Amino acid sequence: MRTPVTELLGIELPLLAFSHCRDVVAAVTNAGGFGVLGAASHTPEQLEHELDWIDAHVAGRPYGVDLIAPATYAGKGEGGDPVGLWERIPAAHREFVDDLLTAHGVEPPEPPPVGRRRRPGLTEEHARDCLDIAFAHPIRLIANALGVPPDYMVARGKAEGVAVAALVGTRHHAVRQVEAGVDLIVAQGTEAGGHVGEVATMVLVPEVVDAVAEAAAAHGEEPVPVLAAGGIVNGAQMAAALALGAAGVWTGSVWLTCEEAETAPATKAKFVAATSGDTVRSRSRTGKPCRQLRSAWTEAWDGPDAPPALPMPIQSLISEPALRRVDRLAEGGHEGARELATYFVGQGVGMMNRVRPAREVVYSMAEEFAEAVERAAAFLEE
Amino acid sequence: MRTPVTELLGIELPLLAFSHCRDVVAAVTNAGGFGVLGAASHTPEQLEHELDWIDAHVAGRPYGVDLIAPATYAGKGEGGDPVGLWERIPAAHREFVDDLLTAHGVEPPEPPPVGRRRRPGLTEEHARDCLDIAFAHPIRLIANALGVPPDYMVARGKAEGVAVAALVGTRHHAVRQVEAGVDLIVAQGTEAGGHVGEVATMVLVPEVVDAVAEAAAAHGEEPVPVLAAGGIVNGAQMAAALALGAAGVWTGSVWLTCEEAETAPATKAKFVAATSGDTVRSRSRTGKPCRQLRSAWTEAWDGPDAPPALPMPIQSLISEPALRRVDRLAEGGHEGARELATYFVGQGVGMMNRVRPAREVVYSMAEEFAEAVERAAAFLEE
């Protein structure tokens, strides 16, 4: 099939798959879709390693990279001093986490010694290092997960012929992104996993398609393509997205229960069992509203006794070490850890009920897409 | 066109329009859709009057009625004693409303004298009276807006050949409704106006379609049709709904800015100006989570100093008289009242930017629907 996105990226199916797992990225790309490696928390060295591996496994087929190159972040202008950030965690927050873990039989992790406090990746220096690595590989797309991509990212995309994509949750942000020069807009509804706004996919996509068309018309240009994201885990939803005016879909959650996915096993099992009502939009992991599986961790942070979440990236300094330990213990069958375990996932989790190879998911989506379009067309013809 | 819903209801376009305004109901029915009169707060006498009017204006074309026949409600088993319900409003709640209105320059309304306290409509006796009126008219559908319809409603629909519809917000509730014998399920996503759950339309519709098909297969029956609801205000979204497996759409918000709509003028103006991010899901009007336009009223009730909302229907006893007064003052240009004014509306409000006759909206939706299906089919063929 052919849409403005299959044209732009040189793919057969307008299905983009965001995943932290290189195996998923390669499998989707090899099946005719487009894998996007989520690398926001990678070091430059890790990113290099992963992209080398992908290159060795996709035989030149197109793929992309997703980073966070933020405009603002806690500690900006302070040189990203890791020690300073750790010291900004209030005692009440440390105690809250320690008590929560202890109540579930999990021993709280110690903060790393000062000399080994890794710098959070949310700085310009880090983003530039990662961009250098990414552009040294044959990527076809670079995405910024949060906010307007910085000028240096847009300029480099243009110079090297790599499409720059950005995720938005409002019509207004879509217009700002187009004005900043992005080549592809991902309109992500509130039902998506990860950082999300409040407007649902069914409303956001036609709004953003309309806004992007208006902005283009004002400059006498062709509108950039819009991808729909949020809750999309099957081909009928892909058809719905295209009916709404999208040129393709951006997916994330559906790959977390694939055979290849590196999702913590206890969390994967929770995802397979979960209903669409089992997610929550909470600040408890990153400091910004993020949709994730409801668990004893999110319930406690959203409860009346919890301190307010800290700004990004400080909240992650307390949540990530705790939840990594939780994942390890949960894998060994630790009951309290299983109750706490959670991960980013969208409402589509209610339909993610089987563990399948990523390639099979791509093929199913293509088939379901064709069936859905034919069903709608048949209604029209009768 | 033909879908299981056009067959069931004898209509040309699978577009159901919920409205409290009889003119909208008649206009949509006359344009080939299906109007549903929202009569949850009507007295039996009012309902009789409205249905007589509709009969005189639709020349035998099909329409329906939407009621609330609730299974549980505050005051159940107490004979629905209106005096008792008024006395259950805590002093703190009265003071909160009085202070909020006063702060906006609106004089708080006095509670009505004991002898004139109208019984809230949420009792079985009231529902039975209204059903008698409705079934004495040539209705083709009766809907229950909240929860599983009571046995007497389902039985009467079957006996008189009138389709019984029910609104659901979860897959689980859809199965319960099918088991209770309803003929038509409305899967209503969180982006809808009024009483809504948390799951978005893009996820809920395929989930409910799947659940209804499974439940039918278990009994060796044909599945009942599913309508998609939530955020749907144009024909591209209607095409998306059908691609998701729905047999049609149920709409509400889009009719509130029609020429015919009886929406309070100041609120209509707010709707036309609002973005999709300007709604909020709040208990502040009815006691149950209800999506409505964000205003000084919802902000105050969702603020840290507000008392918790009272159970249905007690919250309405304090909110409705206050908001009726607000609407009257807002119409006269009262600044504080304009800030407070709000009404139920979904996220689709962001695309409701023009005041048009209802008939024109129906025709646009039919056209946009065809265009969207053709667009998706063209992607597939290339």
Short mmCIF file of all heavy atoms in Angstrom, two decimals, chain B residues 7 10 91 105 108 133 141 148 226 236 238 240 254 275 298 308 326 368:
data_model
loop_
_atom_site.label_atom_id
_atom_site.label_comp_id
_atom_site.label_asym_id
_atom_site.label_seq_id
_atom_site.Cartn_x
_atom_site.Cartn_y
_atom_site.Cartn_z
N GLU B 7 -30.65 -1.59 9.40
CA GLU B 7 -31.67 -2.66 9.30
C GLU B 7 -32.59 -2.65 10.52
O GLU B 7 -33.81 -2.69 10.40
CB GLU B 7 -30.99 -4.04 9.27
CG GLU B 7 -30.04 -4.23 8.12
CD GLU B 7 -30.77 -4.68 6.88
OE1 GLU B 7 -31.18 -5.85 6.84
OE2 GLU B 7 -30.92 -3.84 5.96
N GLY B 10 -34.50 0.81 10.65
CA GLY B 10 -35.18 1.30 9.46
C GLY B 10 -34.74 2.70 9.06
O GLY B 10 -35.56 3.58 8.78
N ALA B 91 -24.31 20.85 55.54
CA ALA B 91 -24.17 22.31 55.61
C ALA B 91 -22.93 22.78 54.87
O ALA B 91 -22.93 23.82 54.20
CB ALA B 91 -24.11 22.74 57.09
N GLY B 105 -20.35 37.01 42.26
CA GLY B 105 -21.40 38.02 42.15
C GLY B 105 -22.78 37.47 41.85
O GLY B 105 -23.65 38.19 41.37
N PRO B 108 -26.95 33.32 45.78
CA PRO B 108 -27.30 31.89 45.86
C PRO B 108 -28.80 31.69 45.89
O PRO B 108 -29.50 32.45 46.56
CB PRO B 108 -26.67 31.44 47.19
CG PRO B 108 -25.66 32.49 47.53
CD PRO B 108 -26.16 33.77 46.95
N ILE B 133 -45.64 6.36 28.87
CA ILE B 133 -45.81 7.43 27.88
C ILE B 133 -45.06 7.09 26.60
O ILE B 133 -45.60 7.18 25.50
CB ILE B 133 -45.26 8.77 28.44
CG1 ILE B 133 -45.92 9.15 29.76
CG2 ILE B 133 -45.39 9.88 27.39
CD1 ILE B 133 -47.33 9.59 29.66
N LEU B 141 -36.93 2.82 19.45
CA LEU B 141 -35.81 2.48 20.34
C LEU B 141 -36.02 3.14 21.69
O LEU B 141 -36.50 4.28 21.77
CB LEU B 141 -34.49 2.97 19.72
CG LEU B 141 -33.23 2.81 20.57
CD1 LEU B 141 -32.05 2.39 19.69
CD2 LEU B 141 -32.84 4.11 21.28
N VAL B 148 -27.53 -1.29 33.78
CA VAL B 148 -28.32 -2.33 33.09
C VAL B 148 -29.80 -1.95 33.16
O VAL B 148 -30.29 -1.59 34.23
CB VAL B 148 -28.08 -3.70 33.76
CG1 VAL B 148 -28.99 -4.77 33.15
CG2 VAL B 148 -26.61 -4.11 33.64
N VAL B 226 -23.21 -3.01 17.75
CA VAL B 226 -22.55 -2.08 18.66
C VAL B 226 -22.45 -0.72 17.98
O VAL B 226 -22.04 -0.64 16.82
CB VAL B 226 -21.13 -2.60 19.03
CG1 VAL B 226 -20.37 -1.57 19.86
CG2 VAL B 226 -21.23 -3.93 19.76
N ALA B 236 -15.57 11.54 9.17
CA ALA B 236 -14.34 10.77 9.16
C ALA B 236 -14.29 9.88 10.41
O ALA B 236 -13.89 8.71 10.35
CB ALA B 236 -13.12 11.70 9.12
N MET B 238 -16.90 8.80 11.94
CA MET B 238 -17.92 7.78 11.73
C MET B 238 -17.31 6.62 10.92
O MET B 238 -17.54 5.44 11.24
CB MET B 238 -19.05 8.44 10.93
CG MET B 238 -20.38 7.80 11.09
SD MET B 238 -21.61 8.86 10.27
CE MET B 238 -22.61 7.56 9.56
N ALA B 240 -14.17 5.85 10.89
CA ALA B 240 -13.24 5.19 11.81
C ALA B 240 -14.00 4.22 12.71
O ALA B 240 -13.57 3.09 12.94
CB ALA B 240 -12.50 6.24 12.65
N VAL B 254 -22.26 17.06 19.42
CA VAL B 254 -22.27 17.83 18.17
C VAL B 254 -23.57 18.60 17.96
O VAL B 254 -23.60 19.64 17.30
CB VAL B 254 -21.94 16.91 16.96
CG1 VAL B 254 -23.05 15.91 16.69
CG2 VAL B 254 -21.63 17.73 15.72
N THR B 275 -11.48 24.44 22.98
CA THR B 275 -10.62 23.43 22.37
C THR B 275 -10.94 22.08 23.02
O THR B 275 -11.62 22.01 24.04
CB THR B 275 -9.13 23.73 22.60
OG1 THR B 275 -8.80 23.42 23.97
CG2 THR B 275 -8.80 25.19 22.33
N THR B 298 -16.47 23.92 37.79
CA THR B 298 -15.78 22.62 37.89
C THR B 298 -14.42 22.79 38.56
O THR B 298 -14.00 21.94 39.33
CB THR B 298 -15.59 21.95 36.51
OG1 THR B 298 -14.70 22.74 35.71
CG2 THR B 298 -16.91 21.78 35.77
N PRO B 308 -16.20 16.62 49.09
CA PRO B 308 -16.40 15.59 48.07
C PRO B 308 -17.83 15.68 47.52
O PRO B 308 -18.75 16.02 48.26
CB PRO B 308 -16.19 14.28 48.83
CG PRO B 308 -16.38 14.61 50.27
CD PRO B 308 -16.00 16.05 50.44
N VAL B 326 -27.18 30.56 37.12
CA VAL B 326 -25.97 31.00 36.41
C VAL B 326 -26.26 31.19 34.92
O VAL B 326 -25.89 32.20 34.32
CB VAL B 326 -24.83 29.98 36.64
CG1 VAL B 326 -23.75 30.10 35.58
CG2 VAL B 326 -24.25 30.14 38.04
N GLU B 368 -18.65 13.27 4.48
CA GLU B 368 -17.30 13.04 5.02
C GLU B 368 -17.06 11.55 5.24
O GLU B 368 -15.94 11.06 5.08
CB GLU B 368 -17.15 13.77 6.37
CG GLU B 368 -17.16 15.28 6.28
CD GLU B 368 -17.63 15.95 7.57
OE1 GLU B 368 -17.95 15.22 8.55
OE2 GLU B 368 -17.69 17.18 7.61
#
